[in-house]
Amino acid sequence: MDQILMIKYGELTTKKANRNTFITLLTNNIKNILKDYEIQIHKDRVRMYIKCSQKDTEQIVLKLQKVFGIHGIVICHKVNTNIEDIGFKILELLEHQSYQTFKIETKRADKTFPIPSMEFNQKMGGFVLKNTNLKVDVHNPDVHIHIEIREEGTFVYTNELKGNGGYPVGVQGKGLLMLSGGIDSPVAGYLSLKRGVDLECLYFESPPHTSLEAKNKVIQLASIINTYSGNIKVNVIPFTKLQEAIYKNVPDSYIITIMRRMMYRIAERVCKKHKCKVIINGESVGQVASQTLDSMVVINSVTNLPVIRPVACMDKLEIIDIAKKINTYETSILPYEDCCTIFLPKHPVIYPDMDKALLYESYFDYESLIEECVENMETITMLEPKISEYL
Ligand code: ATP
Ligand code: MG
C-alpha cells in the first residue's frame, strides 16, 4: 500500500460534543463504501488517513468524493526520504499545471532526519526555483507543496480535492423518502442524506396502470442516490386496489387529495415498521394543486410524524440544477407514468376542505386496503453501485 489519502473532516468539526460519534460513523461509512478495496484507516481528531494501493486510488477518490462528512481529500505520494526522490516527485506534481507561485511546508515527524524543517523548506524551494519558472510566495501561493517526513517514508502532496461536506449519513437516524420517478424526490433524498439522514425509500406502484419501466426507473434513481449512502432499500407498495377504490368512490376533484392522504397514512405505517423517524418527500410549495399550503394542511393532517420537504421553497430550476449535479436528471425525465399522473382529474381542488375530505373517505373502507398495501409491500435492497454510477 503505497498511497495515502488524507481526509479532512467536514462540518462535524464544529460539533465538539458529538465529534467522536461523528468520526466513528464516518469511518464506518467509509469502510462500507470501500469494502471491495484493501485499505487501512488511521485517524485522529482532525484528520483521517487511508492507506491504499496506488492502482485503486482513482476509484477510491471517486467514491470518497460522495461521502458526506468529508471536507477535503488530499492525495499524498510516498517517496523514499532523500532529497532527489522528494525533489523529483515535487517536479512531477507541478508538471502540466498552471501555477505561478508556490510555498513549501515541511513537517518533520521523524526527528532522526537530520535537516530541520525550515532548512529543508529552503533547500527544496531552491530546487524548485532552479528547475521551474515558478516563484516563491509565502503569503498567497497558487500551490502549497507539503512534505511530511515520517519514519516509513516521506509524503508529498499539493492542493486538496473538494469533498462533499455535510454530516455522516446515519448520524440523524433514518427517514422514509417518498421516491417517485420525478425530478424532485431524488433531490430531496440527496439533500436529506447530506444532513446525515439515512434513507429508506417508499414507492407506490399501480400495475397495470403503471409499467415495469416506471418501477425500474425508480430503482435506478435509488441506485444513483445510493452512491451517497451505500445503504439504501426501496419499499414498493402495490397501490392499485386502493387507488381504484379512490377513483370509484371519491369525486374527481378530490381524487388527488385523498390519494395523497392515503400515501401519507401508508408512509407512517412503514415508518413505524422500519424504524424511520420522519417522512421525506419532494413536495414544493405551489408546484401543483396538491402542494398549495391549503392542500398541505389537509393532506398532512393524517399523520403526526414530521414531514421533511427539502425542496419546499426551491424553484424548479434550482431543483433541476441539483438533479443535474447528482446525475438523477437524465433518468428522472424518462417518460414513464407515475401513479400520480394516471387518470389525473381535469380540475383537482386547489383549496381543499377538511370536512369534505373526511366525508369522501367515509364512503369506502380504506383501512383494510391500507393494511393490505403494507402487508404486500416488497422490499428491494440496492446492489453495490457500479463505478460508472460515480462518474
Ligand atoms: P417529483 O416531485 O419527484 O419530481 P412528481 O413531480 O411526479 O415527482 P409530485 O406529483 O410532485 O411528483 O409528488 C410530490 C411528491 O410526492 C414527490 O416528490 C414524491 O416525494 C411523492 N410521490 C409522488 N408520487 C409518488 C410515488 N408513486 N411513490 C412515492 N412517492 C411519490
Ligand atoms: Mg414534484
Side-chain angles (χ1 to χ4, degrees):
M1 287 192 269
D2 42 7
Q3 189 90 77
I4 288 201
L5 303 174
M6 185 169 76
I7 304 297
K8 298 186 175 176
Y9 304 138
E11 206 175 327
L12 63 88
T13 49
T14 56
K15 300 274 186 279
K16 294 275 187 283
N18 296 327
R19 199 173 170 124
N20 282 342
T21 322
F22 281 33
I23 294 172
T24 306
L25 191 58
L26 178 62
T27 312
N28 291 342
N29 290 352
I30 288 175
K31 279 184 185 159
N32 182 36
I33 216 140
L34 299 181
K35 59 177 172 287
D36 294 339
Y37 301 88
E38 202 191 327
I39 56 160
Q40 271 174 19
I41 295 184
H42 300 275
K43 59 186 182 231
D44 57 37
R45 285 177 65 79
V46 276
R47 299 270 188 273
M48 182 185 296
Y49 300 90
I50 303 176
K51 269 192 183 175
C52 64
S53 159
Q54 203 162 10
K55 68 175 176 20
D56 297 330
T57 307
E58 205 177 318
Q59 291 195 359
I60 287 180
V61 168
L62 267 179
K63 292 197 165 204
L64 289 174
Q65 280 187 300
K66 300 233 170 183
V67 174
F68 291 119
I70 293 180
H71 182 75
I73 304 162
V74 184
I75 303 176
C76 307
H77 302 266
K78 188 176 172 190
V79 293
N80 293 327
T81 302
N82 64 62
I83 292 178
E84 292 76 32
D85 284 10
I86 297 171
F88 286 118
K89 179 51 80 178
I90 292 173
L91 294 185
E92 197 185 306
L93 294 178
L94 296 176
E95 220 175 16
H96 310 304
Q97 305 290 340
S98 55
Y99 306 127
Q100 307 211 332
T101 55
F102 73 99
K103 175 182 179 179
I104 298 208
E105 286 174 52
T106 303
K107 199 167 140 197
R108 193 174 53 126
D110 175 11
K111 298 293 180 208
T112 63
F113 184 70
I115 309 173
S117 301
M118 290 298 278
E119 197 180 314
F120 201 67
N121 284 344
Q122 285 162 9
K123 235 182 182 40
M124 296 318 298
F127 183 81
V128 173
L129 286 171
K130 201 165 132 202
N131 290 286
T132 68
N133 294 325
L134 273 73
K135 296 196 169 52
V136 174
D137 181 345
V138 290
H139 300 295
N140 192 21
D142 294 339
V143 58
H144 272 102
I145 300 162
H146 298 265
I147 303 169
E148 277 189 34
I149 299 167
R150 297 203 210 157
E151 274 166 29
E152 72 257 44
T154 293
F155 294 91
V156 182
Y157 60 92
T158 56
N159 298 342
E160 71 184 58
L161 303 163
K162 220 166 136 42
N164 223 350
Y167 293 135
V169 170
V171 78
Q172 290 291 338
K174 207 163 49 168
L176 184 68
L177 171 69
M178 296 168 64
L179 182 64
S180 67
I183 295 167
D184 304 331
S185 47
V187 171
Y190 164 82
L191 293 172
S192 312
L193 287 168
K194 184 162 187 166
R195 300 316 291 166
V197 181
D198 206 355
L199 289 184
E200 276 199 29
C201 304
L202 186 67
Y203 169 59
F204 297 86
E205 67 163 353
S206 287
H209 313 298
T210 59
S211 62
L212 186 61
E213 281 98 332
K215 178 180 178 181
N216 286 338
K217 173 181 165 181
V218 170
I219 292 171
Q220 173 61 22
L221 287 170
S223 167
I224 297 172
I225 305 177
N226 201 31
T227 58
Y228 296 93
S229 154
N231 196 22
I232 283 183
K233 291 191 175 86
V234 181
N235 300 296
V236 182
I237 295 284
F239 202 44
T240 316
K241 255 170 103 175
L242 180 51
Q243 203 173 0
E244 284 174 354
I246 297 169
Y247 287 113
K248 205 168 125 209
N249 294 290
V250 174
D252 263 13
S253 61
Y254 270 72
I255 281 176
I256 297 288
T257 312
I258 304 299
M259 188 179 80
R260 296 196 65 80
R261 281 165 62 91
M262 298 300 164
M263 285 180 159
Y264 272 46
R265 287 187 172 107
I266 292 171
E268 183 183 83
R269 280 174 213 208
V270 177
C271 280
K272 296 235 163 81
K273 203 169 166 186
H274 287 202
K275 301 198 166 47
C276 299
K277 297 177 185 173
V278 296
I279 297 170
I280 301 164
N281 67 34
E283 288 175 348
S284 181
V285 176
Q287 197 184 77
V288 287
S290 60
Q291 291 165 31
T292 61
L293 292 187
D294 291 77
S295 283
M296 282 187 185
V297 170
V298 173
I299 292 166
N300 207 150
S301 70
V302 300
T303 178
N304 286 322
L305 285 182
V307 179
I308 311 275
R309 301 175 175 87
V311 303
C313 297
M314 286 186 192
D315 286 351
K316 193 75 187 187
L317 288 178
E318 291 173 301
I319 302 172
I320 288 176
D321 275 351
I322 301 178
K324 285 184 175 161
K325 190 183 96 183
I326 65 171
N327 278 339
T328 51
Y329 182 72
E330 292 301 326
T331 306
S332 288
I333 58 173
L334 294 173
Y336 305 120
E337 287 228 273
D338 182 57
C339 70
C340 282
T341 50
I342 49 172
F343 321 129
L344 203 61
K346 269 214 180 73
H347 301 291
V349 61
I350 296 171
Y351 309 111
D353 177 85
M354 189 79 81
D355 292 336
K356 281 191 184 159
L358 291 170
L359 175 70
Y360 300 149
E361 282 177 356
S362 72
Y363 292 168
F364 66 110
D365 173 22
Y366 62 82
E367 263 305 324
S368 60
L369 291 167
I370 284 182
E371 244 161 58
E372 211 179 312
C373 281
V374 178
E375 249 164 46
N376 294 325
M377 180 172 83
E378 173 198 10
T379 300
I380 304 167
T381 303
M382 288 293 99
L383 296 174
E384 192 67 21
K386 294 193 237 27
I387 198 74
S388 59
E389 284 168 347
Y390 285 88
L391 298 172

